[in-house]
Amino acid sequence: MKIVVIQGPNLNMLGVREQHIYGPMKLEQIHEQMKNFASDNGIEIEFFQSNLEGEIVDRIQECLGDADGIIMNPAAYSHTSIAIRDAIAAVQLPVIEVHISNIHAREEFRRHSITAEVCAGVIAGVGPFGYHLAMVAMTQIFNEMRAAQEMQKAQQQQA
Ligand code: CA2
């Protein structure tokens, strides 16, 4: 099974600025922890960060037929991008949206995510640990997908 991790605009600045909001961890450190979890659980993982909306749409589309799930922090685009929301809906893959900060306790314009509406789940406000929780959630989704496929196969063999 393969997970693609997609990080939106300015997340390449983690650990460099605004540590009072997002903490001291750099994006590379977060990815290192996710890589360790993936290798311990036999999961393939790839990482992508972009500050450009169209590049993020392209990367989501590339997941079709290549990845089994997406973990994504669309960052500010969560609140604005219909294009990213449409891309998520189009690929029909399980997507877990992660926000490092609690967007519901911040400015009014951050309290609603239009991308979250088409995601399988959302984790917000637990810092970079949210990415680990997203890996655990995605592993569970993969187990459920496998169980459903096996059940379907068994039913087809019986028919
Ligand atoms: O809490 C989150 O993870 C956010 O997705 C982060 C976005 C923000 O626009 C969302 O409302 C919530 C911002 C990411 C920018 O990260 C920076 C990190 C260091 C310095 C500057 C920006």
Side-chain angles (χ1 to χ4, degrees):
M1 301 299 259
K2 177 172 171 180
I3 295 174
V4 173
V5 180
I6 301 177
Q7 306 280 13
N10 295 307
L11 287 164
N12 54 317
M13 302 280 281
L14 278 180
V16 182
R17 299 270 163 87
E18 302 206 350
Q19 291 194 17
H20 60 293
I21 304 174
Y22 302 113
M25 257 178 114
K26 291 195 188 316
L27 197 62
E28 299 74 42
Q29 293 173 297
I30 294 172
H31 289 175
E32 203 49 46
Q33 290 186 347
M34 296 175 90
K35 221 187 275 178
N36 291 339
F37 181 95
S39 89
D40 289 349
N41 289 278
I43 293 168
E44 201 184 325
I45 194 159
E46 265 179 30
F47 301 95
F48 178 78
Q49 189 276 329
S50 177
N51 295 325
L52 303 177
E53 187 177 26
E55 284 189 359
I56 293 170
V57 170
D58 284 345
R59 191 64 190 91
I60 294 168
Q61 289 184 10
E62 282 164 18
C63 289
L64 200 56
D66 176 55
D68 302 289
I70 299 172
I71 292 175
M72 180 168 193
N73 184 344
Y77 286 141
S78 315
H79 317 298
T80 62
S81 178
I82 295 169
I84 291 175
R85 176 198 165 106
D86 287 349
I88 294 169
V91 292
Q92 292 191 322
L93 289 170
V95 179
I96 307 281
E97 180 166 310
V98 176
H99 292 286
I100 298 168
S101 64
N102 180 359
I103 55 172
H104 305 287
R106 298 186 64 190
E107 303 96 321
E108 184 66 41
F109 64 86
R110 292 188 205 277
R111 289 187 195 157
H112 185 65
S113 166
I114 60 176
T115 48
E117 288 171 355
V118 289
C119 287
V122 185
I123 297 163
V126 291
F129 186 61
Y131 289 100
H132 174 77
L133 294 180
M135 291 293 290
V136 175
M138 194 60 84
T139 306
Q140 175 65 19
I141 289 171
F142 286 169
N143 289 340
E144 286 168 11
M145 279 162 64
R146 246 187 250 120
Q149 279 164 4
E150 275 161 28
M151 178 105 77
Q152 208 180 2
K153 218 189 273 172
Q155 280 167 350
Q156 279 165 356
Q157 278 166 356
Q158 276 173 355

